[in-house]
Amino acid sequence: QVQLVESGGGLVQPGGSLRLSCAASGVFFSIRTIDWYRQAPGKEREWVAVIDGVGSTNYADSVKGRFTISRDNAKKTVYLQMNSLKPEETAVYYCHTLDRSVDVWGQGTQVTVSS
């Protein structure tokens, strides 16, 4: 079974940076596609970024140029470096993968962007 645990959230001022981590347990991490999503208060969960098993990445238009997703397969961890954060990006950030046909989500980590 695959489990995901996010960490690294916290309070940051507008324009500041945070690096989130998604630590995975289970097998086949190196070939898994891992996504980051976020859910702001009162809004639906939205996709933020993805990295596949060969390191290819893609981003939501709203975060391109500011966020970077990366992975360390030896540590079985995916990172999301978030720069120039905006207040509207306050949300719970979740990592996600697909295990067989089942969506697997972490517990989420709170990111609050506020002055």
Side-chain angles (χ1 to χ4, degrees):
Q1 297 87 350
V2 176
Q3 292 181 306
L4 304 174
V5 179
E6 302 94 336
S7 62
L11 176 64
V12 64
Q13 292 186 329
S17 298
L18 283 175
R19 189 179 75 157
L20 306 182
S21 297
C22 172
S25 63
V27 298
F28 303 126
F29 176 80
S30 65
I31 62 172
R32 292 191 184 278
T33 295
I34 306 291
D35 298 90
W36 282 98
Y37 287 76
R38 64 189 178 193
Q39 188 164 25
K43 298 185 67 177
E44 295 184 356
R45 192 167 297 185
E46 66 172 337
W47 174 78
V48 174
V50 62
I51 186 165
D52 71 11
V54 296
S56 296
T57 61
N58 206 357
Y59 302 89
D61 287 342
S62 61
V63 307
K64 285 181 179 177
R66 298 185 297 115
F67 288 15
T68 303
I69 188 170
S70 61
R71 68 193 300 156
D72 184 336
N73 288 336
K75 296 181 178 180
K76 299 175 72 174
T77 300
V78 169
Y79 304 97
L80 185 67
Q81 177 67 46
M82 306 186 296
N83 298 328
S84 301
L85 282 160
K86 305 172 182 179
E88 58 264 36
E89 293 175 315
T90 293
V92 178
Y93 284 69
Y94 300 89
C95 56
H96 162 272
T97 193
L98 195 66
D99 185 13
R100 302 283 293 274
S101 62
V102 178
D103 287 306
V104 178
W105 298 91
Q107 85 287 353
T109 186
Q110 175 71 49
V111 173
T112 302
V113 185
S114 177
S115 59

